[in-house]
Structure formats: structure tokens, C-alpha cells
Amino acid sequence: ASVEVELPPPFKTRAALDAWVKGGGVLVAVGDTVKWLQDHEMTTVKSWQPPPEKKETDKKQEDPEASESTVEKELAARPIFTPGAALATQMQPSHPLTLGLPSSPPVLFEGSTVLKPMGDPRKDVLLATDESPVIAGFAWPEAEDRLAGSLLVGMEQRGLGSVVLFAQEPAF
């Protein structure tokens, strides 16, 4: 005898959406929606995370004069909001999402969510340039460091379907 377990509504939604994508659907996630996909394990894309705290044994071996101040450590670990910047980009010119673009477009960026590239040119469609990505607007120096080389548009296969990720609103 089999027992059917009734799933709560959010899990039914996730399961139904995942089945639809795996069956050949294309799911497009924009901005903060990517976080939902990450939380529900429907994408392998990771967000920027602060470096892990050093263990006590590592701290004892450090040179006390070379250690960072408490303020610098707190700054390195917190999200940094970018109020508005245009980023220089590098794209995969032969990817289906970039066909017809004569060159890599600048992208407007606002917010604090920074996505890490997946390391696969078939998945990393559009990245911020590795050096000096901010070409206009404003970003704190620490935010600019995090944005360098970040994923702006990605696409990954999921079963027969795919998930397309936009770090920012594509209309801009």
C-alpha cells in the first residue's frame, strides 16, 4: 500500500514549476527572482558571499600589524548597494541570447545582489568586465571589486528545458 503525502502549497508550486522546466519549458528569472530559484535549488548560480571567518588558530599565526581593522572586516562582509552604474561587459557572441548584437552592450546595474559566473561559456552569456567594469554612474570601490567579472546574464539547461537568469532588469 502506498501513502501519498500532501505537500504544502509552496512545495507544490516549486515541484510543478520544476517539472514544467524539465519537460521543455524556459523559465526567465530577473533580479531578486534569482534568489528564489537559488533557495529552491532550481539553479546552480551562486551569489557573492563574504569570505569565511578565519579560525582562531589562523588568527594566532597572523602578523598583528598586517591584520585588517574591525571596520575593514565588517565592510568586506556586508552587502554593498550600488545606486546606479553602467557596466562594461563581455559576451559570448555565438550564444543564442546574443545573436544579432554587434558588440557587447553596457548594462545598467543597481542593487547589492552580485552573481558569480558559472565558468562555462555556454552558461555565462554576459559578464561584467574583469577590470574597471564601471564606465558611468557610481559604485563604491568595494562594490566595483565585487562586480568585476560578475554574471549579468546566464542560461543553464534543466532537463529538456532551461533557466535564463538576468541579474538586472533586461529592459534597461
Side-chain angles (χ1 to χ4, degrees):
S2 66
V3 177
E4 269 192 48
V5 178
E6 186 68 27
L7 295 173
F11 293 105
K12 282 185 179 181
T13 302
R14 185 247 181 245
L17 184 60
D18 198 27
W20 177 77
V21 171
K22 287 179 176 177
V26 177
L27 178 63
V28 177
V30 178
D32 292 337
T33 310
V34 174
K35 174 84 170 103
W36 188 90
L37 293 177
Q38 291 169 330
D39 292 345
H40 290 85
E41 299 175 354
M42 291 183 64
T43 181
T44 60
V45 170
K46 305 287 184 227
S47 295
W48 178 90
Q49 295 295 320
E53 287 287 321
K54 293 185 179 179
K55 297 177 186 173
E56 286 298 318
T57 55
D58 293 342
K59 289 181 182 178
K60 290 176 185 174
Q61 295 173 358
E62 282 183 8
D63 178 7
E65 293 178 17
S67 67
E68 293 179 296
S69 73
T70 304
V71 174
E72 289 170 332
K73 287 179 185 175
E74 287 176 11
L75 183 61
R78 71 171 193 201
I80 300 173
F81 186 82
T82 299
L87 304 180
T89 63
Q90 52 194 11
M91 71 175 185
Q92 295 300 328
S94 61
H95 196 280
L97 290 175
T98 61
L99 287 177
L101 290 176
S103 62
S104 192
V107 171
L108 293 179
F109 186 91
E110 177 187 35
S112 58
T113 301
V114 177
L115 302 177
K116 295 170 71 174
M118 295 175 267
D120 183 342
R122 294 168 298 173
K123 295 179 179 182
D124 296 337
V125 179
L126 189 68
L127 302 172
T129 56
D130 291 331
E131 292 186 29
S132 303
V134 176
I135 55 175
F138 179 78
W140 297 102
E142 298 83 2
E144 186 170 2
D145 290 344
R146 294 176 191 176
L147 287 168
S150 66
L151 180 70
L152 299 170
V153 178
M155 182 175 177
E156 58 185 332
Q157 293 299 121
R158 190 153 179 87
L160 297 174
S162 57
V163 177
V164 178
L165 308 165
F166 289 89
Q168 298 288 299
E169 177 65 47
F172 296 113

